[in-house]
């Protein structure tokens, strides 16, 4: 079982999403929604304008790198955790597939500091919608539950889904291991996961007919300050 890290920060991410001034992308006519597309003109100002930043990225700002074939984002693990999340608006059953490419760098930690975080929302007749605007600000979007997608120390953990514990305080959070193992470090991997299948396994009693995806992005836990991972092409498709 992967070592659980910084649960308080993870909960804070889930409850402190402020969407004021952020442009929310919608699904394109071809059924895709681009969440993360590395661009040469990346800057701190653009990053902060297009994404919800929780924590500080000034000492660990992701940077653009070019390997001669593709642009990708180099993720540093700084002294403190941070998250970069993008508000989105998509129906889970209409765009269930999340795809991305990542490369985890050897010599960081046994668990990669990089995680992908997805937020879900449906009506309150099924489950409680969480909004702590009185604490974090008035513009927090409601959400019902979230999913983290992670890299584990062992390749044998791939496909493991840890479901929420009944009675746990705070919004339900499920954890999914997309890949892992030292033998898979320093190599690019293409991932495609069916979020609707994971949602159905984690919360089997819920009807997903009206469930929406309301945010997606990355969480970076503290590390040694070096580049911990590369990622490119995070998007949803049908």
């Amino acid at each position: 079982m992967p070592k659980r890290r910084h649960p308080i920060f993870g909960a804070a991410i889930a409850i402190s999403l402020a969407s004021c001034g952020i442009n929310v992308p919608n699904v394109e006519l071809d059924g895709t929604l681009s969440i993360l597309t590395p661009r040469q003109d990346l800057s701190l100002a653009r990053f902060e304008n297009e994404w919800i930043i929780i924590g500080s990225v000034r000492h660990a700002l992701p940077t653009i790198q070019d390997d001669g074939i593709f642009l990708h984002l180099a993720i540093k693990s700084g002294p403190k955790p941070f998250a970069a999340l993008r508000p989105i608006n998509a129906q889970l059953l209409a765009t269930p597939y999340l795809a991305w490419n990542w490369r985890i760098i050897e010599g960081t930690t046994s668990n990669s500091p990089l995680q992908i975080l997805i937020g879900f929302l449906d009506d309150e007749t099924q489950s409680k919608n969480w909004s702590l605007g009185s604490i974090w600000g008035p513009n927090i979007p409601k959400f019902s539950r979230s999913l983290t997608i992670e890299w584990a120390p062992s390749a044998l953990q791939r496909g493991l889904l840890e479901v929420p514990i009944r009675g746990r305080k705070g919004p339900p959070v499920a954890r999914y291991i997309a890949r892992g193992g030292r033998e898979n470090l320093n190599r690019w991997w293409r991932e495609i996961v069916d979020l609707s299948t994971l949602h159905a396994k984690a919360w089997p009693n819920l009807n997903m007919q009206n469930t929406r995806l309301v945010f997606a992005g990355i969480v970076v836990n503290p590390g040694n300050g070096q580049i911990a991972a590369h990622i490119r092409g995070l998007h949803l498709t049908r």
Side-chain angles (χ1 to χ4, degrees):
M1 184 68 64
K3 180 181 178 183
R4 187 183 298 275
R5 292 157 298 148
H6 305 285
I8 295 176
F9 180 69
I13 290 169
I15 62 180
S16 62
L17 300 176
S19 59
C20 181
I22 301 291
N23 182 34
V24 179
N26 293 296
V27 179
E28 300 292 339
L29 293 177
D30 62 356
T32 63
L33 190 156
S34 179
I35 301 166
L36 173 63
T37 302
R39 298 164 49 171
Q40 288 282 16
D41 59 349
L42 178 72
S43 65
L44 180 59
R46 178 179 291 277
F47 203 62
E48 292 177 333
N49 285 337
E50 297 182 355
W51 293 69
I52 298 168
I53 306 300
I54 302 170
S56 176
V57 298
R58 293 185 180 276
H59 298 294
L61 178 68
T63 56
I64 291 294
Q65 293 186 350
D66 187 348
D67 60 10
I69 302 176
F70 298 104
L71 294 177
H72 57 265
L73 204 61
I75 307 296
K76 291 183 180 180
S77 55
K80 296 182 179 180
F82 73 89
L85 304 175
R86 189 151 201 196
I88 58 177
N89 181 26
Q91 291 293 126
L92 173 59
L93 294 180
T95 53
Y97 296 103
L98 180 71
W100 73 97
N101 297 273
W102 60 350
R103 177 171 60 188
I104 305 301
I105 306 302
E106 187 173 7
T108 52
T109 61
S110 57
N111 291 66
S112 168
L114 175 66
Q115 301 172 358
I116 295 171
L117 182 63
I118 306 295
F120 306 96
L121 173 69
D122 50 35
D123 61 76
E124 294 224 29
T125 61
Q126 286 208 108
S127 59
K128 181 177 181 179
N129 292 336
W130 293 83
S131 178
L132 298 184
S134 61
I135 298 175
W136 296 97
N139 298 303
I140 303 168
K142 291 183 178 181
F143 66 100
S144 304
R145 64 200 66 89
S146 62
L147 170 72
T148 63
I149 301 174
E150 306 177 17
W151 180 286
S154 171
L156 297 177
Q157 293 172 279
R158 186 184 182 195
L160 177 66
L161 177 65
E162 180 181 328
V163 299
I165 300 173
R166 287 185 178 273
R168 175 184 178 272
K169 293 183 179 180
V173 180
R175 302 169 67 241
Y176 176 71
I177 304 301
R179 197 170 293 273
R182 294 185 60 84
E183 64 272 32
N184 293 321
L185 296 171
N186 301 320
R187 299 167 60 188
W188 279 107
W189 294 98
R190 173 69 169 171
E191 313 287 5
I192 301 177
V193 299
D194 185 341
L195 295 177
S196 64
T197 297
L198 295 177
H199 190 286
K201 290 180 178 179
W203 299 283
N205 297 323
L206 295 181
N207 184 338
M208 297 182 290
Q209 188 66 35
N210 296 314
T211 300
R212 292 190 296 119
L213 302 165
V214 291
F215 62 81
I218 59 173
V219 179
V220 182
N221 287 304
N224 58 12
Q226 303 299 313
I227 292 176
H230 299 138
I231 188 170
R232 70 170 186 262
L234 185 67
H235 62 273
L236 291 166
T237 61
R238 61 188 176 193

